[in-house]
Every structure is written in structure tokens, then in C-alpha cells.
Amino acid sequence: MIKNCDEMTANYNWQVQGNTKVKPAKLQVEGSLNKRYQKILCSFLYFCLSFNQLQAEKPRFIDITIDAGIDFNHAGGVDKRVIPAVVGSGAAFADYDNDGDLDLYIVNSSTKHDTGTEDPRNALYRNNGNSTFTDVTNEAGVGNPVWGMGAAFADYDNDGDLDLYVTNYKANAFFRNEGSGSFIKFSSKAGSIGHVGFGSAVTWGDYDNDGDLDLYVANYLDYAKLPRGDEVFFPYDWYGQSNVLLLNKGDGGFIDVTESARVGGGFHLTLGAAFADYDNDGDLDLYLANDTDQNILYRNNNDGTFTNTNGTDERSHTGDTRGGMGITWGDYDNDGDLDLFVTNWLDENNVLYRNNSDGTFTDVSAQSGIFESGLGKTCWGTEFFDYDNDGDLDLFIACGHIDPATWESPSQPDIFLENNGNGTFTNISELVGIRSIPDGTGRGVAVGDYDNDGDLDLLVVNCGEGAVLLQNDGGNRNNWLKILTVGKTSNRNGIGTRIELTIGQSRQIREVISGSSYLSQSSLEVEFGLGKNSVVDQIRILWPSGFKQILTDINANQTLVVTEPDN
């Protein structure tokens, strides 16, 4: 152990002769000047050792794509100069076969307008339970070789397995899980479920709390109204399409209730959509991130309709007009309500909205430290998650340019922001290994503990390039708790369930959300970081049905399956 400065510098008193390091008998500089240099060197070495120690203590993300058996290449790319191929695609973590580990679905693009079976296809990877995956796309029947965009899983018919909705340019696709490892593509009985448009984001949620999951499908632009053909890159003179809200009838079918519910989106260019209960009133609200149009937060009126909070007397202050892309909800400041983060186009800065608990939000991008992190970058997929299990939500952002005529390379470094626990974030992308991974043209992002080791991993879809699976190495040095909700009166997945965890005087909340980030879906399991705490004092669960459940004295480091009690 080094005890003093003289001992530390003794090992570094050498000179360089040619290409050889030679330790001299004594330093060339004598007396007080020598001592001065020793102190400077001592300070520098202490800094280096402290930096190395800090680096060693941080969990790191390791690219294990190849070792895990993921061989996916996105067929789009900015060089294709066709809009669906440029702005796609997303991915989803979900346990489609109910074996207890997360499988992976990745959406692909096409290579031409007249699509066919020879086109690149989406991919479903079954988790083998040993940190590797097997491509089961063909046997599962979910290849869907068209211009793909987004995807989200949910048990729409409450039969115990996850079904899959995929948005595309032109007709969307709905795959019903047969429970035998395969899916059936269908739309006839489901009514307007196979909506035809330019589908983008998709989010599942039981907005009317009747126990059946409804579906919101966002649409991007209207190709028929492009002023200069389909190779136009900048959306300032594009026309949008109305989004669609599909009400689950409970008999296997859906009906379009967009107009009556008043959530069409106003023909904006919607790229991001996500349900969440931002005002803690027990029903799901809806946020839309729109490209070059005003973003919209729809408040659920609990009567089958929504109110656009941009136009009310008490505005939510979330309706900025920027190039909105991705969305993530999360209580980053642990004050008991969901905050909102939105990614944006180049130099429009990403925005962190702090929930004021009164129906309004405050833009805290500058004071939180996230403002500068996205400048000069076009940002897409994003998620709040506790990467080091210390009890607060950190933030990941995927980045990538669009127009190849503007930059030498469309690739950009992704961003990782650590929550400091005091309302601010620090960019630690280099410390956690994100900067060690080659830059990509990031689009969709999904988060989930695919290897069941107690920390959350990342999947990033890169436009025109390979997808990247990033394994969290070291996040489980702190304790954790995962909760999987199973509804009975509520929808089977418990989507919309609010979970509050208490340890001493500290509390955290999570909400089960299906569909967020950019064109993507993270795991339906919710994970809490517990720090060094080995026991959770209390868990309060508010189900969409309104039923409240309390659990006490729960041990850490387990996956807790919680079934809604009979009311």
C-alpha cells in the first residue's frame, strides 16, 4: 500500500533514452524544485488511481451480440433515401413462450416498394436460458417481410400468452400467439386492427379500465401528399396522418373509436406514443411525440374521451414544437409521480419534463444537466432504467443522423446519463463502456434483463447496420427486485399497474408500460434497485381495476410474480 508521496513517485523516477525507459540513479532536478515536481506527479498519480478506481466500480455495458447468437442487420439506411428505410426500426423484449426468460423481436425494413418474400424479414429470437438466443422466426411465423417500423407485445385476449402488433408502411400486422411457439396473422375478426397507413409507434393500454387491452397506433406521414416525391428528407412541408385508437371489444375484435375519444393527433407527424397515468387518478393518459409539430399530452377524462392539454386553461406545458422522436416515462426524482423525457432532432435539444404533481410539468433540461448531452446529435430511442440498482432511474439515448448529404458519416455516439440522486444527471458514457462501442445510427431501444442476473441490459437497433445487444456487467452488485404482474379483473399483463416500493423513508414507483422509447417495447417486468438493502419494507400495488394490494417484508434479489387477488 502506498503511504506517502515519496513512495508513490519512487516508482516513476525514470528517463527515456531513445525508445527505452531507464530509471536514473537520481532525479536530474535537485532540491526544492525536485520536491515540487514530486508533488505535482503525486497529485497526478492520485488522480489517475482515483479515476481508475471509479471506472472499476461502475457497471459496464459489454457488446455480446455475436456471442449471444444475434445476427440481425437492418436493411434500411440513410443511403437508401426512402423514408421508411431511414427512420426505422424498433425492437421488443418479451417472454412470448412463458418459460421465464426474455425473448427478443427486432423489426426490419425493406429494400424496395414492391415487397415480397425475398425481402429482409423481422426476426424473433428465442432465449435459450443460458444467455444465448436461437432464431425461430420461420417456425413462429412472424417474419413479416415489408417496410417494418415498430412492435409491441401484449396479451390482448387474456389467454395467458403475449400477442404481437407490428406497425409498417402500408398495412400493419397483428399476430395472435397460439401458445405453441407459433403465431397466426389475422385481421378479419379483429376489425380495423390491420390499419393501413404509415404506422410508427404502438402502445397497449386499458384506457377504459374494463379489463381488456386497447391499442393506440401512431402514423407518420401521408405519402400521397408528398410535394416532391417520396425521397424528401426534411418534414417541414410533409402532411401527417391521423392516428388510431382501437377499442378492445372483449370478443377478439376491435373497433375504431379515434373520433369519439378525440385522440386522432391532428394529422401531426407522430413518431412516439406511450400510455401512462401522469396525474395519478387511476386511468391511462397518452403522450405523442410529433416530428416538427406540437407534441400532445392527452388527459384521460375517465368517460371514454380525452382532453388535449395544449388547449386547456391549465396547460400541461409539454406541447413543445420540435422534432419529437422517442418517449420514456419514469419517476427520476422519486417524488411519487411520473416524469417525462422526449428525444428530438439535431440541435433542438432533448427535453426532461418534471411532473409538478398538479397536472403541469416544468422543463428542467438545463438544470438537470441533460441539455448539452444531446446537442449536435439526432436522438431517437430512450429509456429510464436503474442500471446500477442504486434506487434511482438513469437514462440511455440512442443517436444517429439522417441525411447522408449533410455529414461525412450518419453514425453518432450514444449517450448514457447517470442519475446523481439530487435531480441532476452526469454523462458517464465513457465510464460505462458506451464510448467503447463503435458509433452507430441508433433508432429503437429496448431494455430488459435478458440473462436473469438482476441487472438491466440494452438492445439498440441501428438503421442500415447490425443491432447491438449490450450486457450489463456489474449492475447486480447492488440488490434488486423484479416484479411481474398478473391481472385477473384487470388485464392479464397488469399493464397500467402502479407499484410503489418503500424502504425506510425512501420510496420508488414504477408503472407497467407496453410500448415506449422509439418504435420499441421494454420488458413488462418492472425492476427496482435496492442498493445495499436486503429487505423491502412494503410494496403497494394499485391495479387498473382499482384494487389495492399491500405486501410486506419482501426479500431482495428475486423475481416476484404478483397475481391480482379476487375482488
Side-chain angles (χ1 to χ4, degrees), residues 3-25:
K3 298 179 180 179
N4 55 56
C5 191
D6 290 338
E7 182 179 343
M8 175 180 270
T9 56
N11 294 323
Y12 292 90
N13 294 339
W14 40 259
Q15 293 176 319
V16 177
Q17 297 179 357
N19 294 324
T20 305
K21 296 179 181 178
V22 179
K23 184 177 178 179

Side-chain angles (χ1 to χ4, degrees), residues 78-359:
V78 296
D79 59 326
K80 299 293 191 296
R81 303 193 67 83
V82 178
I83 297 164
V86 169
V87 299
S89 299
F93 274 123
D95 183 9
Y96 84 94
D97 53 359
N98 287 331
D99 64 352
D101 45 38
L102 292 176
D103 311 297
L104 177 62
Y105 187 74
I106 311 178
V107 182
N108 213 332
S109 187
S110 183
T111 54
K112 60 182 183 302
H113 287 291
D114 182 18
T115 59
T117 56
E118 74 278 5
D119 270 14
R121 57 170 174 73
N122 303 343
L124 176 63
Y125 293 96
R126 187 189 66 230
N127 194 323
N128 298 321
N130 59 0
S131 298
T132 68
F133 293 83
T134 297
D135 187 334
V136 294
T137 310
N138 291 336
E139 47 264 57
V142 291
N144 199 41
V146 296
W147 298 94
M149 291 290 287
F153 286 88
D155 186 0
Y156 93 101
D157 50 4
N158 290 328
D159 67 348
D161 48 37
L162 293 173
D163 311 292
L164 172 64
Y165 194 87
V166 182
T167 57
N168 304 304
Y169 166 58
K170 297 190 175 179
N172 297 331
F174 183 54
F175 297 94
R176 188 182 65 210
N177 194 329
E178 293 296 283
S180 59
S182 64
F183 293 76
I184 288 182
K185 183 178 179 181
F186 81 119
S187 62
S188 56
K189 183 180 179 182
S192 53
I193 195 76
H195 173 74
V196 178
F198 189 161
S200 53
V202 52
T203 181
W204 291 94
D206 183 8
Y207 82 93
D208 55 355
N209 284 338
D210 65 351
D212 299 307
L213 286 173
D214 311 300
L215 180 65
Y216 192 83
V217 181
N219 285 305
Y220 195 38
L221 62 87
D222 187 340
Y223 257 94
K225 296 181 179 179
L226 283 177
R228 296 188 299 275
D230 62 5
E231 294 188 358
V232 182
F233 268 88
F234 295 100
Y236 302 106
D237 51 2
W238 291 354
Y239 293 88
Q241 295 178 315
S242 175
N243 302 328
V244 180
L245 176 61
L246 301 173
L247 174 68
N248 190 331
K249 298 189 297 180
D251 61 357
F254 292 78
I255 56 174
D256 186 339
V257 295
T258 312
E259 184 174 350
S260 61
R262 304 199 297 265
V263 289
F267 296 95
H268 292 320
L269 303 162
T270 303
L271 284 173
F275 280 117
D277 182 9
Y278 81 94
D279 51 3
N280 292 341
D281 64 351
D283 51 36
L284 291 178
D285 312 292
L286 176 66
Y287 191 78
L288 305 182
N290 296 316
D291 191 1
T292 70
D293 282 312
Q294 190 175 32
N295 296 339
I296 301 174
L297 175 58
Y298 286 110
R299 186 182 67 242
N300 192 329
N301 299 321
N302 198 25
D303 61 0
T305 68
F306 291 77
T307 295
N308 183 341
T309 61
N310 290 337
T312 60
D313 293 335
E314 297 181 2
R315 297 178 185 273
S316 65
H317 305 294
T318 59
D320 291 331
T321 300
R322 299 179 183 174
M325 309 289 190
I327 300 168
T328 182
W329 291 97
D331 184 15
Y332 82 94
D333 51 1
N334 285 338
D335 65 350
D337 45 34
L338 294 174
D339 310 295
L340 175 66
F341 181 74
V342 183
T343 59
N344 289 300
W345 170 257
L346 176 72
D347 287 336
E348 290 180 334
N349 86 269
N350 303 319
V351 182
L352 177 60
Y353 297 101
R354 187 188 65 221
N355 193 327
N356 298 322
S357 305
D358 60 1

